[in-house]
Amino acid sequence: MRSIVLASRPEVETIYRRTVDALDALLDDDDEDEEYDEASRAERSEQLGLLLDGLRFCAVAVQALRDASLAPLALDVHERLYRFDAHCEDLHERADDAIRIMLRAGSPVTARIRSLARHDDSGPRGAIAAGARAEDPAGRALLDTLSRDPVAAVRAAAKASLAAVAEVPWWSGKWKSDPATRMTEAERDAVGGALRRTSELLDEPPYRLWDATSPSAAELLKCLEVLPAPLTIEAIENLCRASERYTVTHLAPMLLLLLRREGGSEALFRLVLEWGSSDSGALVERTLCAALAEAPRDTRLAFSKRCIAYVSASPPAERRSFGSHVRFVAAIAARLWPSDEDISFVLDALLALDRTGTGEHATDYASASLEGALVASGRGLASIRDRIVEARLAGYPGPWSSFGRRVDSLVAGLPKRLVRKTAEQAIHAEDDSTVEWGLRTLLGAAYSVKRDGAPVERVARLLKNPRWRAVIVANHELAPKALPGLRAMLVRDELPYPEAVAVFGTIRRLYGGLAAPRYSAWVYSDDGDPESERKTARDEVTAFLGPTEIAGPPRADEWQALRRARDRFDGKDTSELVVYWADTLREGGWTEDERADFDRFLAAFRERPESEVAMALVGSLASKPTLERTHELDEIATRVEGRSRRLVRTGRARVRHLLGLGAAAPTTGEVGALPAGVWEDDDDDE
């Protein structure tokens, strides 16, 4: 037969380079997080399809050339096409065919080929099984391994490739060794027919065995039920390995049979470790638990405990990756734990976890998954009720701190009378976070009009305690509920300056009347309706806002009270004062007092260029942008030093954007002549 040449070797190499360059450029554009409209998305999808077709052509052209020296290019094409498994299986088939043909043409077995022989998908393994040459020692080694592959098609291809040099045992890939030699004569007589039929069924395409309604699946299950336990377990393990991850649910009858056999639980656990280490772990997590939902309660409990023991013995570093198999095992444990079982076992395991090196901000994903069992617990929660209440009142000491928020949700689900009693004790605790929880609970889920009276009156009583008031003022959720009482105390000169500033911040959030907060230079959104956001904030605390005459933006007497609080303030450090000042600027243009304050703080910055002062001054200009201060803005950005320089320059860019001047800013020239300089922001920290 005459050979077909679709493109010469130089042409294939040129097409490949052009395609890869264009594909990389397209994917780099995606990394920029651009927002695409519908037309742009359609255009991008079309371009991607064309480029993938280009790679597909390279695979087919290489296959037609049958030039073994093109194997590296074929492997590159294969690697790239397998990154796009959501597009078209035909792409994978063509890539696999190219590998098969390269091996048949004499391409050596390299490290990349050996790696492909361990690929999660059966396609590459099948291509190597069909392409590797048995007369080549390296190829023979791969074929020997692939002849034991759990997928029937891969085994068959390897068996065909080995036919001229070796005979593959009939049981290879189905059992670890010859089943007949592992049974007594009586067992062979009793189940020999079932064994032979099981072997035949396991040679069928796996999809025929995934469907519970398939005659083959039903017959296989019947055969496996009568085989000795070790043979049943090995056959089901290999069948599970041969199956696609999404088919685990369809294998439920097999998995339930596995758990009924002695040693089956350990076999299932081995599969769980394998599935958890794959890219499909999240999918298997749901389907596996759905498949095991019908297992007996005690069986699920025992398997869950086995999983928890594994998580407990795992190093902290392995628990901190969301994609870790340890997180997967923990999630399986939580999902299978019976809701009516004493949850003490899970709680003790969480408290005993080695959290060395996890750090304050490092997420322990395995622990978080295991905590799901606590939340899902029903009657089993009664056994730990006293322990979680005691831990809540103690401020979640030691290991409790790692999952305190989760325990808060458990405490909230206790009987309301107990929750209220716990909250009443919590507000007298030494730990501020416990006091905060108690106050939030007393003014939230545990609030009772019958016992507490009108909301405004209840809050007023709490505000009389200086410690409770300080916690309330500083809390984003509590401060709005206490606003009427706090405004009254402000006017009576009963609040220290920091608390008075916080009260003004809460007024801004609910009613406006102040300029944007200083952090708007760095955290902002040009979208949204401020008044709508304020109304939403008010609606959340309507019952606590009192009569309308004490509502609304800051009144004149409140501005005066704020000034008096500032004059009484003991802390005269500039870096502290400027922050409070920048958070309480009036809405609208700059007042004379604000201009004078800005000049005073700027003068202090010139004498001592502290980063905190620089940040507050830039924040104030972002709150109230003005062209007359652009020189001072540039001066601050030029003089500030250290790690804050980048933030200051970012704030400067925000101010310039608000003024319509563009985001760039001068980086060279004398301060007094900067507008004539070259404008660009290099963010060169130090």
Side-chain angles (χ1 to χ4, degrees):
M1 182 181 294
R2 197 173 69 183
S3 62
I4 298 174
V5 177
L6 300 176
S8 66
R9 175 174 181 148
E11 289 172 334
V12 173
E13 291 173 336
T14 298
I15 293 172
Y16 174 73
R17 283 196 301 271
R18 288 177 179 173
T19 303
V20 167
D21 289 345
L23 182 60
D24 288 344
L26 184 66
L27 298 179
D28 285 343
D29 288 343
D30 286 351
D31 291 340
E32 298 297 326
D33 291 330
E34 294 182 15
E35 294 185 8
Y36 295 100
D37 56 27
E38 196 65 34
S40 298
R41 280 195 294 269
E43 181 181 3
R44 180 205 173 279
S45 180
E46 180 181 358
Q47 291 174 344
L48 180 59
L50 291 172
L51 293 171
L52 293 179
D53 280 340
L55 289 176
R56 181 184 183 278
F57 173 80
C58 291
V60 174
V62 165
Q63 181 180 345
L65 286 172
R66 297 178 179 271
D67 181 350
S69 66
L70 282 172
L73 188 148
L75 286 165
D76 289 343
V77 170
H78 190 282
E79 179 182 345
R80 285 182 173 274
L81 285 178
Y82 259 81
R83 296 176 189 174
F84 298 93
D85 57 349
H87 283 75
C88 179
E89 289 185 3
D90 181 58
L91 296 174
H92 292 179
E93 291 174 4
R94 297 288 74 78
D96 292 338
D97 285 343
I99 300 301
R100 174 178 58 82
I101 293 298
M102 289 298 97
L103 287 170
R104 277 295 172 199
S107 174
V109 173
T110 63
R112 294 179 72 181
I113 293 293
R114 286 192 288 272
S115 177
L116 273 185
R118 299 188 297 272
H119 201 283
D120 284 343
D121 290 341
S122 62
R125 302 200 307 272
I128 294 172
R133 292 168 292 119
E135 59 272 19
D136 171 32
R140 171 66 184 271
L142 283 183
L143 290 172
D144 286 341
T145 299
L146 293 171
S147 69
R148 300 188 295 274
D149 196 275
V151 176
V154 177
R155 291 197 304 269
K159 182 177 181 179
S161 296
L162 286 167
V165 297
E167 182 178 356
V168 177
W170 63 272
W171 46 263
S172 184
K174 308 166 194 176
W175 290 280
K176 295 178 181 178
S177 60
D178 188 346
T181 63
R182 297 157 61 186
M183 294 190 294
T184 65
E185 184 175 352
E187 287 176 328
R188 286 194 295 271
D189 291 341
V191 301
L195 177 63
R196 286 190 295 273
R197 185 55 182 153
T198 298
S199 177
E200 293 170 355
L201 289 168
L202 290 176
D203 281 334
E204 292 190 9
Y207 65 84
R208 294 184 184 174
L209 307 177
W210 298 340
D211 186 356
T213 63
S214 163
S216 294
E219 186 180 3
L220 177 61
L221 183 64
K222 187 176 296 186
C223 291
L224 290 172
E225 285 177 340
V226 302
L227 292 182
L231 302 184
T232 298
I233 291 170
E234 288 175 24
I236 293 177
E237 271 196 89
N238 282 323
L239 178 61
C240 288
R241 292 190 178 101
S243 303
E244 298 292 343
R245 305 295 189 242
Y246 64 85
T247 64
V248 172
T249 302
H250 303 305
L251 294 173
M254 303 288 181
L255 296 177
L256 295 177
L257 172 59
L258 188 65
L259 288 174
R260 291 199 298 271
R261 294 304 185 93
E262 184 179 355
S265 179
E266 279 303 306
L268 179 58
F269 186 74
R270 288 193 295 271
L271 290 170
V272 165
L273 294 182
E274 292 179 21
W275 286 328
S277 300
S278 74
D279 294 336
S280 307
L283 175 62
V284 179
E285 177 185 325
R286 296 188 296 272
T287 56
L288 175 60
C289 291
L292 297 178
E294 296 182 14
R297 176 192 179 283
D298 290 346
T299 300
R300 287 186 285 115
L301 175 61
F303 193 76
S304 179
K305 287 185 174 182
R306 174 68 178 86
C307 292
I308 292 172
Y310 183 84
V311 174
S312 298
S314 299
E318 292 187 7
R319 303 198 310 265
R320 293 201 297 269
S321 170
F322 183 80
S324 165
H325 72 285
V326 180
R327 186 215 64 82
F328 176 81
V329 173
I332 297 297
R335 286 175 178 267
L336 293 182
W337 188 270
S339 61
D340 61 345
E341 175 65 21
D342 182 348
I343 202 69
S344 297
F345 183 89
V346 178
L347 178 59
D348 290 340
L350 287 168
L351 292 173
L353 282 179
D354 176 12
R355 300 183 186 270
T356 306
T358 55
E360 181 181 357
H361 302 293
T363 301
D364 187 331
Y365 290 103
S367 175
S369 294
L370 193 54
E371 292 158 22
L374 296 177
V375 177
S377 183
R379 294 193 302 273
L381 187 63
S383 62
I384 64 170
R385 187 179 68 180
D386 293 343
R387 294 174 67 185
I388 62 177
V389 168
E390 181 182 350
R392 172 63 279 182
L393 291 175
Y396 295 130
W400 287 92
S401 63
S402 299
F403 55 102
R405 288 188 178 181
R406 188 83 77 161
V407 178
D408 272 348
S409 66
L410 300 181
V411 175
L414 296 175
K416 186 173 181 179
R417 180 178 298 179
L418 177 58
V419 173
R420 182 181 176 95
K421 178 182 177 182
T422 304
E424 288 173 340
Q425 293 176 271
I427 61 175
H428 298 285
E430 296 181 2
D431 174 60
D432 282 348
S433 66
T434 302
V435 174
E436 177 193 307
W437 175 85
L439 291 169
R440 283 192 291 106
T441 303
L442 290 175
L443 295 179
Y447 179 77
S448 168
V449 175
K450 183 177 180 180
R451 297 186 61 176
D452 299 323
V456 174
E457 296 172 359
R458 171 60 166 158
V459 174
R461 292 195 297 272
L462 292 172
L463 291 175
K464 291 179 180 179
N465 183 305
R467 187 183 181 208
W468 297 345
R469 186 186 71 233
V471 171
I472 289 172
V473 168
N475 184 266
H476 189 80
E477 177 184 336
L478 291 171
K481 294 182 176 182
L483 190 55
L486 290 171
R487 295 180 80 161
M489 296 181 74
L490 171 68
V491 174
R492 294 196 301 267
D493 294 333
E494 295 175 2
L495 297 182
Y497 185 46
E499 292 184 13
V501 170
V503 170
F504 266 71
T506 304
I507 295 174
R508 169 173 43 223
R509 183 149 57 96
L510 268 62
Y511 300 108
L514 286 86
R518 59 184 166 81
Y519 58 75
S520 62
W522 301 276
V523 182
Y524 58 85
S525 172
D526 292 327
D527 300 325
D529 178 7
E531 180 49 43
S532 175
E533 293 173 0
R534 289 193 284 266
K535 183 178 184 304
T536 299
R538 294 195 299 271
D539 290 345
E540 292 174 354
V541 293
T542 300
F544 290 86
L545 295 182
T548 56
E549 58 266 22
I550 59 174
R555 303 184 304 269
D557 59 341
E558 290 174 326
W559 283 111
Q560 294 166 3
L562 177 67
R563 187 69 189 210
R564 292 194 299 272
R566 174 177 160 181
D567 293 340
R568 296 193 307 271
F569 186 45
D570 291 335
K572 297 298 182 181
D573 182 74
T574 300
S575 62
E576 190 173 10
L577 277 173
V578 69
V579 168
Y580 292 137
W581 166 81
D583 274 338
T584 52
L585 298 175
R586 293 173 184 262
E587 193 174 46
W590 287 77
T591 67
E592 289 301 319
D593 285 346
E594 289 171 345
R595 294 174 190 275
D597 287 335
F598 184 95
D599 290 338
R600 181 163 60 87
F601 290 128
L602 178 60
F605 172 77
R606 286 168 175 162
E607 290 184 9
R608 186 180 178 186
E610 295 180 288
S611 59
E612 293 86 352
V613 179
M615 298 274 286
L617 290 174
V618 172
S620 72
L621 292 174
S623 301
K624 304 178 72 166
T626 174
L627 285 169
E628 66 182 74
R629 294 288 186 179
T630 54
H631 283 291
E632 285 89 343
L633 180 66
D634 298 332
E635 177 185 355
I636 295 168
T638 303
R639 291 181 181 274
V640 71
E641 298 179 354
R643 301 180 64 86
S644 298
R645 177 178 295 177
R646 178 174 303 215
L647 285 173
V648 169
R649 290 187 174 185
T650 301
R652 173 178 61 180
R654 173 63 179 168
V655 176
R656 290 186 54 78
H657 168 75
L658 294 172
L659 291 171
L661 300 176
T667 58
T668 60
E670 294 296 328
V671 172
L674 282 176
V678 178
W679 295 75
E680 58 180 60
D681 230 353
D682 285 333
D683 280 350
D684 48 339
D685 278 50
E686 292 138 318

